[in-house]
Amino acid sequence: MEELKMSIDEMISTLDGASGRLTVEALKNPVIREAKEMIMKVSIALGELSEELEESAYLEIDED
């Protein structure tokens, strides 16, 4: 089995794509709407994590 590696940006993009595909169905189905909301929460959390990691990397560079 091929090992799957994704950057945080690729994860966010994939989650956003999945969420977008669920948009029409989410209007009709509360379970789909909940799944879409869960996907968006993870996408936002990954974006925040990415920003924090970038900030800490810059701080480490400044300390050197």
Side-chain angles (χ1 to χ4, degrees), residues 6-60:
M6 298 174 80
S7 70
I8 291 177
D9 288 340
E10 290 171 326
M11 290 182 216
I12 292 168
S13 178
T14 300
L15 287 169
D16 291 349
S19 180
R21 287 171 178 80
L22 294 171
T23 299
V24 172
E25 288 302 313
L27 297 172
K28 300 184 273 184
N29 185 324
V31 174
I32 301 296
R33 183 173 33 255
E34 183 180 3
K36 182 181 180 325
E37 290 169 2
M38 293 167 68
I39 289 169
M40 291 307 301
K41 284 181 184 178
V42 173
S43 179
I44 291 167
L46 282 170
E48 291 171 352
L49 175 62
S50 178
E51 288 177 11
E52 290 174 13
L53 291 173
E54 286 179 20
E55 284 178 19
S56 67
Y58 289 130
L59 290 175
E60 288 177 15

